[in-house]
Amino acid sequence: MKIFYIKKQKLRLLITILVLAIFAMIFYNIYYKNSEETFKEDIYYKGNIDEKVIAFACNVDWGNEYIPEMLSIFEKEDIKITFFVTGKWAEKNEKLLKNIYSYKHEIGNHGYAHADYGKLNYDDNLREIKKCHEVLNNILNMECKYFAPPAGSFNDNTIKAAEELNYDIIMWSIDTIDWREDSTQDKIINRVLTQAENSAIVLMHPTKETIKALPVIIQTLKEEGYDIVKVGQVIK
């Protein structure tokens, strides 16, 4: 009887542990895993359309001298892309911003200052995104809905702030790394063309080497059957 009693106690202990483990897994799936998936469902590293489309996203906080030529290339090729601009840049370059917008390019929010949003608290994230939104609205009379955090840096506070302001967070699947001093036309071309895929988002900046690379990238992508579009056109 004594042996049976010990085994019975162990069995009860095992059952208790098993039940607790099951409840812990259920709790995790409901309150953590599911909420995390929902929480991050509006962060796009690429689009979600299974078609031969590729979005170009140009982040702007400098490089004014290259933007007119970039616009000329896109106009010649009948291409519309998305320019993510900072609020500070927009305030200092209203005429250039309006020119970009006049070509029917999509304008996105790049934050008011080119800061490290991954290190900001919720209030600061909210303020920076909202301030840029207001600047762009005042200049262009339009409502942005896509936010590209500078350097791709964000945290949970950024996600919460973007969600509060009805923004989707836009990252990228192809990085030209065209801002680096060792960047070259050939390197940019290679990075884009070797990673091209349906609904890819290509990150670029207004630089001298990017201007050199664009004609080859555009021509090759078109030959491969891709349409080059705005970020909003690869997201549904």
Side-chain angles (χ1 to χ4, degrees):
M1 291 297 292
K2 186 176 181 181
I3 295 176
F4 174 77
Y5 178 75
I6 293 173
K7 289 183 177 179
K8 188 174 181 180
Q9 289 289 75
K10 288 184 178 180
L11 181 60
R12 286 177 178 173
L13 179 61
L14 289 173
I15 292 174
T16 301
I17 293 173
L18 181 60
V19 170
L20 289 173
I22 292 173
F23 273 108
M25 290 176 63
I26 293 173
F27 181 80
Y28 172 79
N29 284 321
I30 293 177
Y31 293 100
Y32 286 92
K33 188 176 179 181
N34 290 345
S35 63
E36 182 178 349
E37 290 174 354
T38 301
F39 198 45
K40 296 185 178 180
E41 66 182 359
D42 294 330
I43 300 176
Y44 294 92
Y45 287 85
K46 59 179 291 187
N48 51 19
I49 297 176
D50 190 19
E51 298 175 9
K52 297 207 77 171
V53 290
I54 289 182
F56 281 5
C58 183
N59 289 354
V60 180
D61 187 52
W62 40 262
N64 298 16
E65 64 271 34
Y66 302 112
I67 292 176
E69 190 170 356
M70 181 178 279
L71 291 175
S72 178
I73 292 171
F74 291 143
E75 180 68 10
K76 179 181 178 181
E77 296 290 345
D78 192 24
I79 290 171
K80 311 299 179 187
I81 75 161
T82 302
F83 285 86
F84 288 95
V85 304
T86 64
K88 278 188 175 181
W89 180 89
E91 288 177 334
K92 296 177 182 178
N93 300 277
E94 286 193 23
K95 185 176 180 180
L96 185 52
L97 175 61
K98 288 179 178 178
N99 192 33
I100 294 172
Y101 194 54
S102 72
Y103 280 93
K104 307 302 180 184
H105 292 292
E106 185 173 52
I107 304 299
N109 188 323
H110 200 37
Y112 181 74
H114 200 276
D116 188 343
Y117 287 73
K119 294 181 180 179
L120 300 182
N121 60 32
Y122 171 75
D123 290 336
D124 288 341
N125 267 283
L126 188 71
R127 184 188 64 251
E128 291 290 310
I129 299 172
K130 185 177 181 180
K131 191 173 182 180
C132 180
H133 181 94
E134 292 171 346
V135 168
L136 297 178
N137 180 263
N138 289 335
I139 296 173
L140 301 175
N141 191 29
M142 52 84 69
E143 299 286 336
C144 290
K145 58 182 180 179
Y146 301 118
F147 170 64
S153 176
F154 67 89
N155 57 25
D156 286 349
N157 293 315
T158 316
I159 300 171
K160 291 177 184 177
E163 185 180 64
E164 174 69 20
L165 297 169
N166 295 316
Y167 269 93
D168 291 330
I169 293 178
I170 305 300
M171 300 295 285
W172 60 84
S173 57
I174 301 175
D175 190 352
T176 60
I177 319 180
D178 55 2
W179 51 270
R180 281 181 16 179
E181 291 185 3
D182 63 346
S183 181
T184 65
Q185 172 187 354
D186 290 339
K187 286 181 180 179
I188 294 170
I189 292 171
N190 183 64
R191 288 189 185 107
V192 176
L193 298 183
T194 58
Q195 299 179 70
E197 61 177 336
N198 291 5
S199 277
I201 297 176
V202 182
L203 173 64
M204 64 184 66
H205 301 80
T207 74
K208 182 179 179 180
E209 295 304 314
T210 301
I211 295 299
K212 292 180 183 178
L214 276 174
V216 175
I217 291 172
I218 292 169
Q219 180 183 353
T220 306
L221 289 176
K222 284 186 172 181
E223 289 174 354
E224 293 178 358
Y226 286 101
D227 286 330
I228 299 168
V229 299
K230 308 170 188 177
V231 167
Q233 291 176 273
V234 298
I235 296 173
K236 63 178 180 178

